[in-house]
Amino acid sequence: MSELPLLSLVIWLPIIGGSLVLLTANKGEQWVKWLSLLIAVLTFIASIPLYTEFQIATAGMQFVEHMAWIPTFQVAYYLGVDGISMPLILLTTFMTILVVMAGWEVIQYKNHQYMAAFLIMEGLMVGVFSALDAVLFYVFWEGMLIPMFLIIGIWGGPNRVYATIKFFLYTFLGSVLMLVALIYMYLKANSFAILDFHTLPLSLSEQTFIFLAFLLAFAVKVPMWPVHTWLPDAHVEAPTGGSVILAAIMLKIGGYGFLRFSLPIAPDASNELDWLMITLSLVAVVYIGFVALVQQDMKKLIAYSSIAHMGFVTLGFFLVFAIQDNTGSIQGAALGIQGGMMQMISHGFISGALFLCVGVLYDRVHSRQIQDYGGVANTMPVFAAFMVLFAMSNAGLPGTSGFVGEFMVILSAFQANFWFAFLAASTLILGAAYTLWMVRRVIYGAVANDNVAQLQEVNFRETIILTVLAVMVLLLGLWPAPLIDVMTPSIDLLLEHIAKTKL
Amino acid sequence: MKSVYLTLVLAPLLGAVIAGLFGKKIGRTLSHSVTILGVAVSCSLSVWVLSQFIADPGKVDNFTIYHWLVSEGIDFQIGFLVDSLTVLMITVVTFVSLMVHIYTIGYMQDDPGYQRFFSYIALFTFSMLMLVMANNFLQLFFGWEAVGLVSYLLIGFWFQRDSAVYANLKAFLVNRVGDFGFLLGIAAIFMFTHSLDYQDVFAQAPQLALETIDIIPGNSWDLMTVICLLLFVGAMGKSAQVPLHVWLPDSMEGPTPISALIHAATMVTAGIFMVARMSPLFEWSETALAVVLMIGTITSISMGLVGIVQTDIKRVVAYSTLSQLGYMTVALGVSAYAVAIFHLMTHAFFKALLFLGAGSVIIAMHHEQDMRKMGGLKKYLPITYWTTFIGSLALIGFPFFSGFFSKDSIIEAVAVSNIWGAEFAYMMVLLGVFVTAFYTFRMFYLVFHGPERMDHHTKAHLHESPLVVTIPLILLAIFSVLAGLVIEPLLFGEYFATAITVKPEHNVLQNLEFHSIIEFVWHGMLQPPFALAMAGWFLAWFLYMKRPEEAERNKQKLSIFYNILAKKYGFDEFNAWVFAGGARGIGQLLWKLGDAKLIDGWIVNGSARLVACFSGLLRHIQTGYLYHYAFAMILGLMFLLLQIWYIAPAP
């Protein structure tokens, strides 16, 4: 591996590039678009070596960069990735290209700022996934809120102010306690390095407080029931690109947090409180599944579906202790965590694709209400084929990526408790019901009204975006091994670590 | 051999992809040619492979194609297990599929979705092959859901029709209920064997049979029973057993060729195949077998009865299919797996024939499916008439026709079985023979004989279907007659010896005597089933040919029973009200009460209001008016002064 600081490149290229885009307002629309696309593509290209040069056998951190930043407080500019964070970074750089393309013709108002916000956010999100210093992590974590806040607040729908405030307060409230926990651990460890926190001895009550502080931060992000109500509002008001990034990447940061912070830092508290996590996850799957069924707004429906799907992520992550109690070994736990990771990546593609599909319809008809559609397949057959494919993968059809994570988590959950698997598997019915019922009402049937009759088939740009996503969804569904293989050593290391008590 | 099997599986997929993605560009002829070519390749390779297995039935080919993923050292793979059972299945599937492909050229010729249709049926063939050739549960589940997907797409093929897209959603969801159980069964197997590979799992079956599982804390249940029942829930969905049968009649909304291929001959038999494939597991749980037997019995008789009152030609055949699937399930329940597969095969031929025959009638009638508007079609559609007649004889189990051998074997097997409920099952399957003969010939007479009830316009255009339609009918008719002749190797020979496991104490087939086909037929003609079939046929002739007014009069007289059957026992209403309505009700409740009122209304906006309220109070003392502040200062000063004056002790 060359000495090129790859991670820094992937973080700062879009941030600096995005700032550059901000300055090109007077150069005209074309300029802004192509420059943004160029930056997004370059960033993606820069991130490819993270996968190709990745040492699969290594469980620890790779591509490490370490520099002193605020020496007085041992704060460092400390970056690195392992098998858990690397796939998420690639997901981020990949989806950003599609989002830039999705905003291509649609965003007319302040379009340089729109593009810049997404590029800057990309860099910040990559920063969150690669930061190994707690302060650096926190800076990226909070920084990331600002562009999203602006995206919803400026380019959002009519009720955007309520949605942005709700989004901001919810997530901000969650993260304040996390900051307290980070500072507390700094005082004990005299270091802000996250890896030092992992090995920091902590009593059960300390762990419990830290766990709960993190829980609030991450649960809001995921989001877990009952702190999920910001998400449907945010999605409904956000422009298409905002929804895509929100669903595809931002939610994953919560899941990532559990693996990077909660589990390794507070394994004993995780053990004590795993019932809470499992309960909340299953509530998310079942309760939210029912709620999704009755939604009238397509974006709300997909938003609720996201919450239910993220329930699988948190369920998979916290099965390890229950499996240990039930069978006496942690055999089967890795399957759960891999399944949760798989679900995160897959959900990134699927929810992104579904939001883009809704965007395609919204751009033409300017409505997200299911009742305003019907018989879209008559006028947009190609689009209908894509939509059915993504709906099927959302319903977890084998052969698509949506199946892989759910399958792994259900197999793993069965080893913990029959009823965990039973409730989790109810998504087979509920997920199919809410997704396909929407498809039935929107895509199938006779042409419902004039708007539908005048629909234009997806254009070249939209076809490219949807095709790329369709390929990813099928590829991961038919052959998940390349993705599972890169994460396995890191997950094994994590399991080994959390199976040992800190007390 | 690996490349042969791969070609066999992938050829239809290739056809499907070409016709699906480029159908509009390459046009109709090329689209159907490429898919038919793909399936023809599969079919001929299947026949070639079958010939090898006939020579050596004990052969087992087990290959890994690729590793789907590896976790904790457990290999989740895609691979093929080909043994005598698989080979029989792939031959039946590819043959019927080929017939249906050819038939479709005629049936769908005016349809704008022609290429799409060919793409779907070729994709179906691929999925079905993946299902039956799987060597592990993962791939089985993949094929299982993939055929469900194609079924969904094809039932809703005419997506402009509201009834079609209602039916396809219903079919998918009901199948998902089955898959829910199926997946849990797979998870249970995985937990206890740490493998999804058939051969690994089957090898561990004896140990599994000793395990128990606590599903409700404190109650230990026999693990094998739990596994088998969960797997069987999957089979109930796919093979449409009561109470998960509700989707199959509605699936008739799809074009007729797929009713023949998917909803009669192949996909719906996947559940039967799966249980036979899992015979090494089911053999260890008599409880599970008894449940299988009971469900099969109920399905066979109750659905046959509903078939009597149907007026839509396709729905009669659909209820007949449900009833026959019940027969196959009964055979599974008495451990006569080989008989179930035998009936599956004969049924695939004669039921595909009956459906395609019905389709031929429907084309001639300009897509009229109501039998009350038909009649006397014999002279207009001679080939359809004779082939349907052959199919009907096979279905009612007329001697020397294929259905005779397979159905008689089922009844005989039930008769000698001593599993719980076998006596009841025996009575019911006997009664079912009568019912089958009655509804079959009721349909036959209503359609082909008697007065011509169609309107003049339709009548003027009546003519026999083109060759692409009639040739498949003739070929299927030939097999409907001849397929029964393989009874000896299949049931009493060594053909299934390695593929199907039967414990000696469950082995009903060894209690049956078989010397030769002639003797089997002769013996069968002296048994009650033959008499019952003849009675059913006679009754149908009497009521619909001899005295048509009697049929109507009896309908009035027996109106209670008629209404129960016409309402199909009320399953649809019950499901629509309890499950569909209930789920929406729960959803509304959780959304409006849980999310909107409790979480958002009280907690989120409530805390916002609390902050607003509190700050509202505080705001009153920060008015910005100088005189308010001055006043407050004076008050404070006076308070302090008073305090010093009165309370403070003098210095």
Side-chain angles (χ1 to χ4, degrees):
Chain A
M1 186 56 223
S2 62
E3 293 306 304
L4 197 67
L6 261 183
L7 285 169
S8 287
L9 189 66
V10 179
I11 295 171
W12 296 106
L13 183 67
I15 294 182
I16 295 169
S19 314
L20 214 66
V21 171
L22 271 183
L23 301 175
T24 55
N26 53 355
K27 297 265 186 189
E29 210 179 302
Q30 291 302 320
W31 230 88
V32 168
K33 285 176 187 171
W34 286 107
L35 181 64
S36 311
L37 186 63
L38 180 73
I39 294 163
V41 170
L42 282 179
T43 311
F44 178 64
I45 292 171
S47 68
I48 289 174
L50 292 177
Y51 181 81
T52 52
E53 306 283 320
F54 192 82
Q55 306 293 317
I56 288 187
T58 310
M61 293 297 165
Q62 308 184 30
F63 304 100
V64 173
E65 295 170 33
H66 192 287
M67 258 188 293
W69 181 20
I70 314 172
T72 330
F73 298 107
Q74 283 85 30
V75 176
Y77 178 80
Y78 184 11
L79 302 172
V81 289
D82 62 359
I84 295 169
S85 46
M86 186 272 285
L88 292 165
I89 291 177
L90 283 173
L91 180 70
T92 310
T93 54
F94 178 81
M95 292 305 288
T96 302
I97 301 180
L98 300 186
V99 165
V100 167
M101 284 174 70
W104 205 249
E105 286 151 13
V106 183
I107 301 295
Q108 305 291 343
Y109 172 68
K110 293 190 177 173
N111 110 330
H112 63 291
Q113 296 183 3
Y114 178 86
M115 295 293 181
F118 277 104
L119 290 173
I120 292 172
M121 191 157 58
E122 176 187 15
L124 295 171
M125 289 187 299
V126 173
V128 170
F129 289 128
S130 52
L132 292 180
D133 180 278
V135 174
L136 190 63
F137 173 84
Y138 192 78
V139 169
F140 283 130
W141 167 279
E142 296 288 17
M144 172 183 86
L145 286 182
I146 300 166
M148 186 47 97
F149 181 82
L150 295 175
I151 286 166
I152 302 176
I154 297 175
W155 294 274
N159 201 15
R160 56 181 182 265
V161 176
Y162 174 74
T164 33
I165 302 278
K166 200 170 176 183
F167 163 72
F168 193 84
L169 285 183
Y170 243 121
T171 44
F172 192 71
L173 205 72
S175 46
V176 169
L177 283 177
M178 177 173 77
L179 182 63
V180 176
L182 293 176
I183 292 172
Y184 180 83
M185 284 188 289
Y186 162 70
L187 294 176
K188 286 205 78 164
N190 204 25
S191 159
F192 267 118
I194 296 169
L195 296 179
D196 291 342
F197 293 168
H198 288 186
T199 50
L200 181 68
L202 292 164
S203 73
L204 184 59
S205 56
E206 285 173 314
Q207 284 191 35
T208 308
F209 281 118
I210 290 169
F211 183 86
L212 291 174
F214 280 133
L215 173 62
L216 197 61
F218 300 142
V220 167
K221 268 278 181 325
V222 167
M224 297 176 78
W225 186 87
V227 287
H228 65 278
T229 58
W230 64 271
L231 187 75
D233 285 318
H235 270 309
V236 166
E237 299 306 327
T240 303
S243 285
V244 172
I245 290 296
L246 194 58
I249 322 283
M250 279 212 166
L251 307 189
K252 311 303 176 295
I253 290 173
Y256 170 74
F258 284 120
L259 289 186
R260 183 65 78 227
F261 290 89
S262 304
L263 278 166
I265 293 175
D268 302 291
S270 306
N271 194 349
E272 290 291 314
L273 292 172
D274 71 331
W275 61 270
L276 176 70
M277 301 304 293
I278 291 172
T279 310
L280 293 182
S281 307
L282 291 172
V283 168
V285 174
V286 180
Y287 172 116
I288 299 295
F290 278 112
V291 174
L293 199 58
V294 294
Q295 296 307 312
Q296 299 299 323
D297 181 311
M298 286 189 273
K299 268 192 155 180
K300 258 196 176 162
L301 195 152
I302 301 166
Y304 275 111
S305 145
S306 292
I307 303 168
H309 282 93
M310 290 303 284
F312 272 90
V313 175
T314 45
L315 178 65
F317 288 173
F318 283 90
L319 283 169
V320 47
F321 307 105
I323 291 176
Q324 203 168 16
D325 290 347
N326 192 31
T327 65
S329 85
I330 58 166
Q331 167 90 29
L335 198 65
I337 297 181
Q338 287 164 341
M341 277 297 295
M342 190 67 213
Q343 176 82 342
M344 291 215 285
I345 303 288
S346 148
H347 178 259
F349 293 124
I350 296 170
S351 65
L354 283 173
F355 278 120
L356 285 166
C357 284
V358 175
V360 165
L361 289 177
Y362 184 82
D363 294 342
R364 288 161 171 74
V365 179
H366 298 287
S367 168
R368 295 179 312 262
Q369 300 301 313
I370 292 173
Q371 66 198 34
D372 291 340
Y373 294 90
V376 170
N378 293 292
T379 38
M380 301 174 76
V382 176
F383 171 76
F386 278 118
M387 180 94 177
V388 170
L389 171 70
F390 295 128
M392 278 294 170
S393 46
N394 198 44
L397 189 83
T400 65
S401 62
F403 168 71
V404 186
E406 288 179 11
F407 180 69
M408 295 170 85
V409 172
I410 290 170
L411 288 193
S412 179
F414 198 98
Q415 312 198 23
N417 186 316
F418 172 81
W419 293 105
F420 295 170
F422 182 89
L423 291 171
S426 70
T427 193
L428 242 60
I429 304 165
L430 286 172
Y434 59 69
T435 317
L436 297 182
W437 193 29
M438 176 181 77
V439 168
R440 172 192 138 104
R441 288 177 290 170
V442 173
I443 299 291
Y444 292 142
V447 173
N449 53 44
D450 287 350
N451 283 335
V452 174
Q454 286 158 11
L455 280 174
Q456 296 290 316
E457 180 62 283
V458 276
N459 60 29
F460 179 70
R461 176 184 59 90
E462 290 163 332
T463 312
I464 294 271
I465 298 175
L466 295 176
T467 308
V468 168
L469 284 166
V471 168
M472 290 311 294
V473 163
L474 289 172
L475 196 65
L476 279 184
L478 293 172
W479 195 36
L483 183 55
I484 300 288
D485 288 348
V486 292
M487 57 178 75
T488 298
S490 300
I491 288 175
D492 288 346
L493 182 71
L494 175 73
L495 272 172
E496 200 182 307
H497 178 81
I498 59 182
K500 280 198 293 261
T501 171
K502 275 191 169 186
L503 301 175
Chain B
M1 278 313 272
K2 194 168 168 177
S3 53
V4 172
Y5 292 130
L6 265 179
T7 315
L8 196 157
V9 171
L10 294 179
L13 178 65
L14 188 68
V17 170
I18 293 173
L21 294 183
F22 311 108
K24 284 275 177 289
K25 285 200 189 74
I26 62 176
R28 292 176 161 233
T29 316
L30 215 53
S31 292
H32 77 227
S33 310
V34 74
T35 48
I36 290 177
L37 183 70
V39 176
V41 166
S42 286
C43 186
S44 26
L45 286 176
S46 302
V47 172
W48 180 69
V49 174
L50 179 68
S51 67
Q52 295 203 325
F53 274 80
I54 290 172
D56 177 16
K59 194 166 110 150
V60 177
D61 287 331
N62 196 354
F63 301 110
T64 300
I65 305 298
Y66 71 93
H67 301 277
W68 191 64
L69 65 84
V70 180
S71 172
E72 299 179 328
I74 300 166
D75 194 358
F76 296 73
Q77 53 172 275
I78 299 297
F80 296 148
L81 174 75
V82 184
D83 60 9
S84 49
L85 175 61
T86 316
V87 170
L88 190 69
M89 285 299 292
I90 59 175
T91 313
V92 171
V93 167
T94 52
F95 175 73
V96 176
S97 176
L98 184 61
M99 293 300 105
V100 168
H101 271 76
I102 295 169
Y103 178 93
T104 300
I105 299 175
Y107 193 87
M108 301 295 284
Q109 61 185 356
D110 301 324
D111 200 282
Y114 191 80
Q115 292 95 323
R116 183 162 58 99
F117 191 86
F118 274 99
S119 169
Y120 287 170
I121 52 176
L123 181 65
F124 169 77
T125 312
F126 161 75
S127 311
M128 192 69 199
L129 291 173
M130 285 296 277
L131 191 166
V132 296
M133 290 173 74
N135 70 353
N136 64 83
F137 288 90
L138 170 74
Q139 189 182 336
L140 175 69
F141 194 72
F142 166 79
W144 194 262
E145 290 247 308
V147 292
L149 165 76
V150 189
S151 162
Y152 168 85
L153 294 172
L154 282 167
I155 296 171
F157 183 77
W158 288 314
F159 56 82
Q160 292 89 348
R161 290 187 195 168
D162 212 42
S163 54
V165 292
Y166 171 79
N168 78 345
L169 182 63
K170 180 172 168 182
F172 199 84
L173 292 183
V174 174
N175 267 293
R176 269 293 170 101
V177 175
D179 295 355
F180 168 75
F182 194 42
L183 186 57
L184 288 177
I186 293 174
I189 290 170
F190 181 77
M191 175 175 175
F192 286 90
T193 63
H194 296 298
S195 174
L196 289 178
D197 187 82
Y198 287 164
Q199 291 189 330
D200 278 0
V201 172
F202 296 161
Q204 295 183 49
Q207 290 92 309
L208 287 185
L210 305 173
E211 300 255 10
T212 57
I213 180 170
D214 291 13
I215 288 183
I216 298 164
N219 285 318
S220 283
W221 289 355
D222 185 18
L223 173 68
M224 202 54 111
T225 303
V226 171
I227 289 177
C228 290
L229 287 179
L230 286 171
L231 292 178
F232 184 63
V233 171
M236 285 166 68
K238 199 63 65 192
S239 289
Q241 299 294 301
V242 175
L244 297 183
H245 67 284
V246 288
W247 64 273
L248 188 66
D250 285 9
S251 76
M252 296 300 127
E253 289 295 334
T256 306
I258 63 112
S259 304
L261 175 63
I262 301 184
H263 304 120
T266 56
M267 183 190 85
V268 288
T269 60
I272 311 298
F273 162 79
M274 188 269 285
V275 176
R277 171 58 83 209
M278 300 305 148
S279 60
L281 304 180
F282 278 81
E283 277 302 291
W284 290 94
S285 172
E286 293 204 353
T287 317
L289 286 175
V291 171
V292 171
L293 177 63
M294 237 353 89
I295 297 280
T297 307
I298 293 168
T299 306
S300 69
I301 187 71
S302 63
M303 292 301 120
L305 287 170
V306 177
I308 293 175
V309 300
Q310 296 301 312
T311 52
D312 181 314
I313 182 170
K314 279 181 77 181
R315 289 197 178 235
V316 178
V317 191
Y319 279 101
S320 160
T321 304
L322 282 168
S323 169
Q324 297 304 308
L325 288 167
Y327 272 93
M328 295 174 212
T329 310
V330 165
L332 297 171
V334 296
S335 295
Y337 308 99
V339 184
I341 296 295
F342 181 40
H343 193 55
L344 184 163
M345 178 185 82
T346 60
H347 176 259
F349 295 128
F350 66 69
K351 194 52 68 67
L353 170 60
L354 284 173
F355 259 120
L356 296 184
S360 176
V361 169
I362 293 168
I363 312 174
M365 295 291 299
H366 292 282
H367 291 272
E368 175 59 69
Q369 299 184 193
D370 192 335
M371 295 191 297
R372 289 169 299 188
K373 295 179 184 161
M374 298 177 185
L377 292 179
K378 180 183 175 185
K379 66 176 180 222
Y380 302 103
L381 307 169
I383 303 177
T384 309
Y385 172 79
W386 285 108
T387 49
T388 305
F389 185 57
I390 291 171
S392 301
L393 289 177
L395 171 59
I396 70 164
F398 195 79
F400 291 108
F401 287 79
S402 61
F404 170 79
F405 296 98
S406 53
K407 194 180 287 180
D408 241 32
S409 309
I410 293 177
I411 295 168
E412 296 276 309
V414 177
V416 297
S417 171
N418 45 23
I419 198 144
W420 188 88
E423 292 86 358
F424 172 70
Y426 181 67
M427 307 284 285
M428 290 299 122
V429 292
L430 275 186
L431 186 59
V433 173
F434 173 78
V435 173
T436 307
F438 179 65
Y439 68 66
T440 306
F441 276 94
R442 170 180 173 267
M443 174 183 83
F444 187 73
Y445 289 131
L446 280 176
V447 173
F448 291 106
H449 292 272
E452 299 174 4
R453 294 177 296 267
M454 65 291 278
D455 58 46
H456 290 294
H457 175 74
T458 313
K459 199 169 173 175
H461 291 87
L462 277 176
H463 60 83
E464 182 59 281
S465 303
L467 278 181
V468 283
V469 169
T470 50
I471 289 175
L473 290 179
I474 294 167
L475 285 173
L476 283 167
I478 293 171
F479 278 94
S480 298
V481 179
L482 298 181
L485 302 180
V486 298
I487 179 170
E488 187 173 4
L490 234 50
L491 304 192
F492 306 101
E494 289 295 300
Y495 185 75
F496 282 136
T498 46
I500 287 173
T501 308
V502 184
K503 277 188 177 176
E505 63 265 36
H506 294 158
N507 195 342
V508 287
L509 290 179
Q510 72 188 15
N511 296 333
L512 301 183
E513 285 182 21
F514 184 87
H515 304 294
S516 72
I517 286 173
I518 300 295
E519 268 182 70
F520 186 87
V521 173
W522 180 243
H523 176 76
M525 287 176 74
L526 298 175
Q527 296 291 314
F530 178 65
L532 284 164
M534 290 305 108
W537 186 354
F538 174 77
L539 187 65
W541 172 80
F542 183 76
L543 285 179
Y544 294 95
M545 292 296 292
K546 185 85 177 147
R547 298 265 194 82
E549 69 283 357
E550 281 290 307
E552 195 52 37
R553 209 167 60 81
N554 282 317
K555 193 168 120 184
Q556 307 293 339
K557 219 160 65 184
L558 299 170
S559 65
I560 298 177
F561 298 106
Y562 175 81
N563 285 332
I564 292 176
L565 294 180
K567 285 247 179 265
K568 300 161 255 170
Y569 312 107
F571 277 106
D572 284 340
E573 286 76 9
F574 180 82
N575 291 337
W577 169 247
V578 176
F579 292 113
R584 284 199 299 268
I586 293 172
Q588 286 289 356
L589 188 78
L590 293 176
W591 183 34
K592 299 279 193 227
L593 198 71
D595 267 32
K597 191 149 191 172
L598 269 167
I599 297 175
D600 261 2
W602 292 5
I603 302 173
V604 178
N605 296 346
S607 38
R609 270 200 301 276
L610 199 68
V611 172
C613 184
F614 187 63
S615 53
L617 281 177
L618 284 181
R619 201 175 58 190
H620 287 301
I621 56 172
Q622 296 180 22
T623 56
Y625 295 117
L626 199 59
Y627 56 88
H628 282 172
Y629 296 150
F631 184 64
M633 279 167 68
I634 291 168
L635 276 182
L637 203 63
M638 279 171 67
F639 179 74
L640 284 173
L641 282 175
L642 282 172
Q643 201 186 17
I644 292 165
W645 208 294
Y646 285 106
I647 300 163

